[in-house]
Amino acid sequence: NRKETLSLACTFLSSGGGSYPFTTGRIDHGHECRPDLCAYKNSHRPSSYIGRFCVDSLVHDSCALKFLVETMHEDCIMLGSDCPFPLGESKPGELILKTFAQDTEKCQKLLNMNARRFFKI
């Protein structure tokens, strides 16, 4: 329904979305194999919600960042800082620039354009 869609559209998950991007296959499998437990009031595959929420880029690993962008889509990922906690990058955005050095448009999306769109600024 509309209220649920609006709520999902405004959701943001830190630390690269936690385990979600890396377990979508398992989550979808559970949804298909055990609809009595996992699809009780919702017939939509859990992965169908990708694109309706955003995650940050703070994964500290180029391979993980590439996988995150491939899984969650480059329009749904924003620069993460870990602020006020101490585990952020010493130079925020350095991993994005290193990982996608050949793709200026993708870097701009991840570094600032997606956040500007998300926060409407």
Side-chain angles (χ1 to χ4, degrees), residues 5-116:
T5 301
L6 290 174
S7 172
L8 284 170
C10 296
T11 301
F12 177 80
L13 302 172
S14 62
S15 301
S19 65
Y20 181 77
F22 306 96
T23 58
T24 54
R26 182 173 174 80
I27 295 166
D28 279 349
H29 181 70
H31 184 266
E32 292 167 13
C33 291
R34 291 300 307 265
D36 57 318
L37 297 175
C38 302
Y40 179 67
K41 292 186 178 184
N42 187 350
S43 61
H44 301 287
R45 292 177 63 156
S47 62
S48 71
Y49 292 96
I50 291 175
R52 292 182 168 194
F53 58 94
C54 295
V55 301
D56 78 10
S57 65
L58 196 59
V59 294
H60 298 287
D61 181 86
S62 288
C63 290
L65 183 58
K66 288 176 186 175
F67 181 78
L68 183 65
V69 168
E70 184 179 306
T71 303
M72 301 302 292
H73 196 273
E74 66 189 52
D75 292 332
C76 298
I77 301 168
M78 298 178 245
L79 174 66
S81 71
D82 204 45
C83 185
F85 305 105
L87 297 177
E89 291 179 281
S90 57
K91 295 180 183 175
E94 189 172 51
L95 180 64
I96 291 170
L97 292 170
K98 182 179 89 176
T99 304
F100 302 112
Q102 304 302 316
D103 193 337
T104 306
E105 183 180 349
K106 188 176 293 185
C107 285
Q108 287 302 310
K109 284 181 178 183
L110 300 177
L111 291 170
N112 67 58
M113 298 307 292
N114 292 341
R116 291 172 65 94

